[in-house]
Amino acid sequence: MERSVRAVVSRQVVPIAAGVLALVSMALVPPSAGYLDYIDVRTLCILFCLMAVVAGISSCGAFEALAHRVLEGRRGTGVLCLLLVLLPTACSVFITNDVALLTFVPFAVAVLGGAGRRDLMVPVIVLQTLGANAGSMATPFGNPQNLFISSVYGLGFWDVVLTVLPIVVAGVAVVCVLAFIQKGDEVHVDFEEPARVRDRGILAVMCVLFVLCIAAVLRWIPYQVVLVVVLIAVLVLRRSALLRVDYGLLLTFVFLFVFVGNVSQVDAVREALEGLMSWSPVLASAGLSQIVSNVPAAVTLSGFTADWQGLLIGTNIGGFGTPIASMASIISLRIYSGTEGADTRRFLVVFTAANVLMMIILVPIGLAVHGLRRRVAVGLLVQPADLVRVLQIPDLGVPALPGDPALDERLEVGRRLGGVDDQILVE
């Protein structure tokens, strides 16, 4: 009994910690009906729909069949490692980093174990983790923090993609190089029973539902409609998929919404966090991610900045670093630790070294991207006239003042480019 309780606590440490924070914050602001305003229902509903639908797709054997088709045959060690790493990296763009690792890390363990290359498990699993975190940055639905930030700040698909693209390209490039340079003899991968897609009709329906979820993320379809359609379809066609939804993650969001809503009403806390984010939103959010994980960091800091771009860049880069910086990293560590002959100490050493390398490379790129976009946004609001005309926005000719009707369009583009708000005009 004690062992099972410990197992549950170890798997749900983040929701439990978030729950404790929510309870503590209630001492500052007593519970009331106002708590309902804290909850971002849209984010919770879309995240639930995505997890349920992806679980349904996975239950049809689609990901296993893809992996078998890609990996079967005789290849050099570097090519095999690259393919094993690219599978979760590419899939995380659409199915989130957590799901990609839950699917492909056990697969890598089986393939490398069957090929007699257990020595490659640690570097491959570490690189799969880095690749999944890098790939998931690319879209508004690639990871929970992107989905949350997109929802809270009302971002479009290209707002996210164009902001993080340089970081994604750099991160994926580093991971691919590190995978390809793994040395060894030619490896033959052969599956006794090749995986096949099951229930193709159900898979087709799940794929349509996934498209509807993406449409809800992009605000093309009301999320309430998608929630009802997904619930009915999954209950009828693949009820077991509901058991594979990460309800702990949903609870984490709820608890953090309560915590942030409460502490934002405490003047000292609000001023401290606003000051931290105004200093450097990229470094502040990346730094906090190392301590509390990037999803809680995104939720916590979102209430204290208008600079969505800095928050987006910082929490995504912040997913690299410590083992708890991204919950996806915990998934990989847990799976590897359960394998026969696992060397957890070696895993952590390799993991730390690879993550430090990623931070050294990506932090300067993130700061440069954020600084450039921020300068463009500020310049758009007040000058120069040439830039304004290129963007086909009315040229005010002089620095704009709050309340000027012609300012609205500039402010909207400025927010898209760099998260600026009316305050910047009067500083």
Side-chain angles (χ1 to χ4, degrees):
M1 178 66 178
E2 182 180 350
R3 186 174 299 176
S4 62
V5 170
R6 287 181 179 177
V8 171
V9 171
S10 66
R11 290 193 184 96
Q12 302 296 340
V13 61
V14 173
I16 292 172
V20 171
L21 289 175
L23 286 173
V24 171
S25 71
M26 291 178 183
L28 303 174
V29 181
S32 67
Y35 274 34
L36 296 176
D37 295 331
Y38 296 161
I39 310 300
D40 185 347
V41 177
R42 181 178 184 275
T43 296
L44 294 176
C45 289
I46 294 177
L47 186 58
F48 167 82
C49 289
L50 280 169
M51 289 191 290
V53 170
V54 170
I57 294 173
S58 179
S59 70
C60 296
F63 302 130
E64 290 84 351
L66 170 65
H68 279 218
R69 182 177 294 273
V70 169
L71 294 171
E72 193 167 29
R74 187 177 296 275
R75 295 179 176 83
T77 297
V79 175
L80 175 63
C81 292
L82 179 61
L83 291 174
L84 285 170
V85 169
L86 282 176
L87 281 169
T89 301
C91 290
S92 66
V93 175
F94 305 101
I95 65 173
T96 78
N97 49 355
D98 294 8
V99 174
L101 291 172
L102 282 169
T103 302
F104 293 110
V105 169
F107 195 82
V109 170
V111 168
L112 294 174
R117 295 305 309 269
R118 296 184 60 85
D119 58 304
L120 292 173
M121 282 188 189
V122 168
V124 167
I125 294 174
V126 167
L127 292 175
Q128 283 184 316
T129 306
L130 298 184
N133 284 336
S136 69
M137 293 191 285
T139 59
F141 40 84
N143 56 47
Q145 69 268 18
N146 280 15
L147 178 60
F148 170 74
I149 292 171
S150 299
S151 178
V152 168
Y153 292 94
L155 307 181
F157 179 82
W158 292 110
D159 293 326
V160 174
V161 172
L162 295 179
T163 298
V164 298
L165 186 59
I167 306 165
V168 173
V169 171
V172 172
V174 171
V175 170
C176 289
V177 169
L178 292 176
F180 188 69
I181 63 176
Q182 299 300 313
K183 297 179 180 179
D185 298 329
E186 196 173 64
V187 179
H188 181 246
V189 178
D190 185 29
F191 301 100
E192 293 183 4
E193 296 183 8
R196 300 182 182 280
V197 175
R198 304 178 295 273
D199 302 322
R200 293 179 180 272
I202 294 178
L203 176 61
V205 173
M206 292 297 165
C207 289
V208 171
L209 293 177
F210 182 78
V211 173
L212 290 179
C213 290
I214 303 307
V217 172
L218 301 178
R219 290 180 168 80
W220 294 347
I221 300 176
Y223 75 88
Q224 299 93 331
V225 174
V226 175
L227 175 64
V228 172
V229 172
V230 168
L231 269 177
I232 294 174
V234 173
L235 282 171
V236 172
L237 298 176
R238 191 68 87 197
R239 191 171 304 176
S240 61
L242 296 176
L243 300 177
R244 300 173 64 181
V245 171
D246 188 352
Y247 295 103
L249 178 60
L250 296 175
L251 272 177
T252 298
F253 271 104
V254 172
F255 292 145
L256 289 172
F257 288 147
V258 173
F259 171 72
V260 173
N262 285 338
V263 299
S264 64
Q265 298 187 45
V266 180
D267 292 339
V269 175
R270 184 177 64 253
E271 291 172 4
L273 290 176
E274 287 176 349
L276 187 64
M277 290 300 286
S278 64
W279 165 67
S280 176
V282 173
L283 294 180
S285 51
L288 184 60
S289 297
Q290 304 307 304
I291 304 171
V292 301
S293 184
N294 53 3
V295 173
V299 178
T300 300
L301 296 175
S302 65
F304 306 98
T305 182
D307 191 348
W308 63 265
Q309 196 170 48
L311 183 63
L312 180 70
I313 293 172
T315 51
N316 274 295
I317 294 177
F320 303 99
T322 64
I324 65 169
S326 169
M327 289 312 298
S329 302
I330 300 297
I331 291 172
S332 296
L333 176 59
R334 187 188 304 148
I335 294 173
Y336 172 74
S337 299
T339 63
E340 182 180 352
D343 187 346
T344 304
R345 178 176 295 181
R346 178 176 176 242
F347 182 93
L348 291 174
V349 170
V350 175
F351 177 89
T352 301
N355 275 270
V356 168
L357 175 62
M358 292 293 281
M359 293 288 280
I360 290 173
I361 294 172
L362 296 185
V363 167
I365 295 175
L367 288 171
V369 170
H370 177 254
L372 177 62
R373 302 273 288 189
R374 183 78 174 178
R375 284 193 293 273
V376 170
V378 174
L380 172 64
L381 290 172
V382 295
Q383 61 179 338
D386 290 341
L387 176 61
V388 174
R389 278 192 287 270
V390 167
L391 292 173
Q392 296 182 333
I393 295 172
D395 179 12
L396 301 181
V398 295
L401 297 175
D404 191 323
L407 181 60
D408 291 345
E409 196 170 359
R410 275 196 201 181
L411 277 173
E412 178 59 27
V413 177
R415 291 189 184 101
R416 295 290 186 194
L417 288 173
V420 297
D421 54 26
D422 295 355
Q423 268 191 332
I424 199 166
L425 298 174
V426 295
E427 289 178 353

